[in-house]
Amino acid sequence: MSWITFELRLLMRSRLSLATFILMLALAGLAVAMGLHEVNRQHHTLTRLNALQSQDVAAVAEGFKLPDEAGKAAYYTFYNTWNPPASMAFAALGMRDVAPYAMRVRALGLHAQLYAGETLNPELALVGRFDFAFVLIYLAPLFVISLFHDLISSERQSGRLGLLLSMPGPPGRLWVRRASLRFTLMFACLGLPLLVGATLSNAALPDMALTLVLIASYLAFWTGLSLLVASRRWHATTQAIALMAIWVTLTLVLPTLANIALSRSLPVSQGVELMMAQRDKVHGAWEVPREKTMQAFFSSHPQWQNTPPLPQGFHWKWYFAFHQVGDENVAEQVQHYRNGLLARQHWTERLGWLLPGVAAQGALHQLAATDLPAQLAYLDATARFHEQIRGFYYPYLFNDRPFGLDDFAQRPVFSPHQVKSVGWTADTLVLMLISALMLGLGMRSLRWH
């Protein structure tokens, strides 16, 4: 253990190295703190929305002290749905930063309600959120580069390299020790704040362990890459510039180009376009003969076909029927939209096999349940609940049953789906393999010095 103490004291005497570790620890701690703050804010928002929803429902219920038309209750009553953040969401906010995590739906057409919440300011979305994933993916490699780029060249330029190489022991053992110590300290600067945040958010131990594995794997990749460059007989400045160029290419240029290529090869319409298409169908239904609308509705809901016929004039069951028909008319577009998004997700995961930053970020978002599949799962849960709402009101609407306070109390209540950790995936294993190979190559390159 004496060599650890000696190397640690020597490392801490370098102001640049000491400042690097302190700044890395501060940034990681700040990112975790901001992530926890954002998750707590979302929890408070959901609590406040549920309280407001209870007040809103109570106000609507006041109008049903005497039995009235069920269509009015179905039209004026909103229902809350929400997507609570997972325990590790503080580390990688992902789509929770741009996609709605709470929505109010009615028994009207579903798709106009689901995708109305997708409108956002693209300039604000472009900036992204400062969270732990951002620190790990984009900033941590810069700190690794600053620590490792001149591991050997600094000794060469100071004239101490010949003396160090004359020391007894296998060649390169000194560099392996120093590299291992720097790697361990960097891992501690990132891992300790993450563990504190995970403990405060009551994260499961397997999730904590997997996150630490992801941190170690990503740091191992950049450590191995930095050692490969540091082992070259170049000037320290040249080594730093070369590593910075690699960082820009791997973390900024190639992911951006890949995203452009995916967007062009797999074009996907915006959710707001689905909303407008559904609304066009609904608004056009006022001009369609009522019998044609009801026939289209009964073809997909035959259980209501033998209910009392439509009377003259407006009737709520016709109104809700053409909303449902409007949903069914855009169902194919919705499926195409989802398939396009999932295809992009699939190819992004494959891209992670070549770009460790993409793989690490995707794995963190999966672990935090803030990726695209998690958002689609929330939309699916909302769609299933919307089906429950319609199933609750349809017997009243199509059988012309009055609706009163007792019936109002039986309305369905949303239950958020349980978010489960994805755990170990093929992408995570590929990242670990690539990082292990890169670290091995970097360590092996030190044997010649």
Side-chain angles (χ1 to χ4, degrees), residues 24 41 104 136 216 232 257 296 307 345 390 428:
M24 183 79 271
R41 187 190 68 82
R104 302 176 75 206
L136 175 65
R232 305 301 172 188
L257 293 177
T307 52
Q345 176 74 15
R390 292 190 297 108
T428 303

Side-chain angles (χ1 to χ4, degrees), residues 183-308:
F183 175 86
T184 302
L185 291 175
M186 279 294 297
F187 176 74
C189 289
L190 289 167
L192 290 177
L194 189 281
L195 287 178
V196 173
T199 302
L200 293 175
S201 62
N202 297 316
L205 289 178
D207 293 343
M208 295 186 193
L210 180 54
T211 308
L212 293 178
V213 170
L214 291 173
I215 295 172
S217 299
Y218 192 62
L219 287 179
F221 173 84
W222 282 101
T223 298
L225 184 60
S226 298
L227 291 177
L228 279 176
V229 176
S231 63
R232 305 301 172 188
R233 297 182 179 277
W234 299 342
H235 192 277
T237 303
T238 304
Q239 292 168 330
I241 293 175
L243 286 170
M244 286 295 297
I246 296 174
W247 173 81
V248 170
T249 302
L250 292 182
T251 61
L252 299 178
V253 176
L254 291 181
T256 301
L257 293 177
N259 183 58
I260 294 174
L262 285 177
S263 299
R264 292 185 176 181
S265 59
L266 297 171
V268 177
S269 59
Q270 297 296 320
V272 67
E273 296 179 19
L274 298 176
M275 176 192 72
M276 297 303 298
Q278 195 270 354
R279 287 185 175 178
D280 286 342
K281 296 292 184 181
V282 169
H283 294 162
W286 292 94
E287 308 299 328
V288 176
R290 298 194 305 169
E291 292 75 14
K292 184 177 180 180
T293 298
M294 297 308 296
Q295 183 179 1
F297 176 81
F298 289 142
S299 65
S300 58
H301 298 77
Q303 66 271 32
W304 306 112
Q305 192 164 6
N306 297 323
T307 52

Side-chain angles (χ1 to χ4, degrees), residues 74-75 77-78 103-117 274-283 297 316 318-330 334 382-383 385-387 389-390 394 397:
Y75 183 84
T77 304
F78 284 86
M103 288 185 287
R104 302 176 75 206
V105 295
R106 292 184 286 172
L108 303 181
L110 173 65
H111 298 309
Q113 302 178 78
L114 282 185
Y115 301 107
L274 298 176
M275 176 192 72
M276 297 303 298
Q278 195 270 354
R279 287 185 175 178
D280 286 342
K281 296 292 184 181
V282 169
H283 294 162
F297 176 81
W316 284 109
W318 166 67
Y319 180 77
F320 285 96
F322 73 64
H323 270 269
Q324 178 59 24
V325 171
D327 271 348
E328 295 170 358
N329 285 334
V330 298
V334 172
T382 302
F385 180 61
H386 182 264
E387 188 174 352
I389 296 173
R390 292 190 297 108
Y394 280 177
L397 293 172

Side-chain angles (χ1 to χ4, degrees), residues 371-428:
D371 57 349
L372 174 64
Q375 178 63 20
L376 292 180
Y378 168 53
L379 297 182
D380 291 340
T382 302
R384 290 191 297 269
F385 180 61
H386 182 264
E387 188 174 352
Q388 294 180 33
I389 296 173
R390 292 190 297 108
F392 172 70
Y393 286 111
Y394 280 177
Y396 296 93
L397 293 172
F398 288 92
N399 293 313
D400 294 325
R401 288 166 48 188
F403 195 89
L405 276 180
D406 292 339
D407 303 299
F408 206 92
Q410 302 301 317
R411 69 190 185 281
V413 178
F414 179 75
S415 178
H417 68 286
Q418 297 296 321
V419 178
K420 295 182 179 180
S421 173
V422 176
W424 298 87
T425 63
D427 297 334
T428 303

